[in-house]
Amino acid sequence: MKIIAAGAMILTALFWSTHRPPVENVSTAREEKARAAGSSKAQNPMADTEDEWRLRLVNRWNPLPKSWSVNVTQLRNGQSIDERCYPDLQDMMDDCRTKGLSPVICSSYRTWTRQEELFNAEVNLLKNQGYSDEKAKEKAGTAIAVPGTSEHQLGLAVDIVDSSYQSLDKGQEDTPVQKWLMKNSWKYGFILRYPNGKSDITGIIYEPWHYRYVGREAAKEIYQSGLCLEEWLDEN
Ligand SMILES: [Zn+2]
């Protein structure tokens, strides 16, 4: 049975390698590669049955199904996160505070409806600035993921800021909290998900506040490799 299943998978892979749907936007070879890697991981039926839940790829090319649900643990500030990564998140926050720092989780698990509200608000803001509906949606999608494609909906992502500087912009990287997190988050299973210079692969702007749980083992490897999640999944 195993051999038949493996054969079927290879045939499926071959089919998709030669029958990939047409791509509307012009994209780089790197992007194409990341997209291909992503789809094989994301459509892996094992993705949520064993340890693979930690490595589930969600991006604009690998959306979640609308029926997606996850068991969450509520944090003290009203935020919530996938219950399976809560202990590691708590450890990271505790250790960060022990260093005299003041991290604040400003965003975590989002329902589909919440993601939709955020996305539509950004689109409207851009349309008020003169963008056409189409351009506004395209531009909004680089900062706020299109509903169904946000890691926040997955329940494994947190936006963490420094209490002394809570703007979600590049200035965040200079705060003591980000400096500590960028150096240490991997020890707790979290990676800086949207690093500088990888936007053409992740599809998201540089976000020195968005951390994604992948588990301690993978986080260590990804941190040491300098790759973003799409690239790392492609190699593993
Ligand atoms: Zn985020």
Side-chain angles (χ1 to χ4, degrees):
M1 278 303 283
K2 275 183 180 166
I3 293 166
I4 294 168
M9 282 173 71
I10 290 165
L11 283 174
T12 306
L14 279 172
F15 175 83
W16 282 110
S17 66
T18 50
H19 295 78
R20 194 159 300 152
V23 178
E24 280 178 2
N25 298 327
V26 177
S27 55
T28 64
R30 285 167 85 199
E31 197 181 49
E32 274 294 308
K33 206 175 163 198
R35 192 179 313 191
S39 48
S40 63
K41 289 281 177 184
Q43 288 167 14
N44 177 357
M46 299 293 284
D48 288 291
T49 54
E50 294 177 2
D51 285 349
E52 290 298 309
W53 62 270
R54 297 180 181 84
L55 298 174
R56 180 168 188 138
L57 183 65
V58 175
N59 58 23
R60 65 173 67 187
W61 305 286
N62 298 278
L64 286 167
K66 197 150 191 183
S67 59
W68 178 257
S69 70
V70 57
N71 292 330
V72 296
T73 295
Q74 189 138 19
L75 311 178
R76 272 175 300 186
N77 64 358
Q79 302 281 344
S80 49
I81 188 160
D82 186 320
E83 62 184 13
R84 295 168 290 189
C85 68
Y86 172 74
D88 279 340
L89 176 66
Q90 195 58 57
D91 277 357
M92 182 167 79
M93 297 298 276
D94 287 347
D95 287 355
C96 188
R97 291 189 178 111
T98 301
K99 299 291 175 192
L101 303 172
S102 190
V104 176
I105 295 176
C106 63
S107 190
S108 51
Y109 170 67
R110 289 177 203 151
T111 61
W112 191 288
T113 308
R114 180 67 187 137
Q115 187 67 27
E116 214 159 40
E117 284 168 2
L118 291 171
F119 182 76
N120 290 342
E122 182 73 8
V123 170
N124 287 333
L125 194 76
L126 291 164
K127 279 163 77 173
N128 287 338
Q129 289 173 14
Y131 286 90
S132 67
D133 188 61
E134 191 190 359
K135 286 283 171 200
K137 281 178 180 161
E138 192 183 312
K139 191 171 166 64
T142 64
I144 296 178
V146 173
T149 70
S150 171
E151 279 194 339
H152 287 285
Q153 293 177 258
L154 186 60
L156 296 175
V158 275
D159 291 343
I160 307 176
V161 293
D162 193 306
S163 68
S164 67
Y165 185 89
Q166 302 201 19
S167 307
L168 296 181
D169 58 31
K170 196 168 180 293
Q172 193 59 236
E173 70 181 5
D174 297 321
T175 64
V177 162
Q178 294 310 338
K179 284 182 178 169
W180 188 87
L181 285 173
M182 285 188 191
K183 202 172 152 193
N184 296 287
S185 69
W186 63 272
K187 296 173 189 167
Y188 307 88
F190 287 85
I191 55 166
L192 184 72
R193 176 69 175 88
Y194 305 118
N196 206 359
K198 302 283 188 185
S199 298
D200 62 334
I201 303 169
T202 64
I204 298 285
I205 56 167
Y206 173 43
E207 290 196 348
W209 57 83
H210 180 113
Y211 293 87
R212 155 71 194 267
Y213 188 74
V214 291
R216 295 189 181 212
E217 200 181 324
K220 184 180 181 184
E221 286 183 25
I222 293 170
Y223 176 80
Q224 288 175 344
S225 70
L227 302 173
C228 66
L229 184 58
E230 282 84 355
E231 291 172 309
W232 186 80
L233 287 173
D234 191 27
E235 288 190 6
N236 285 273

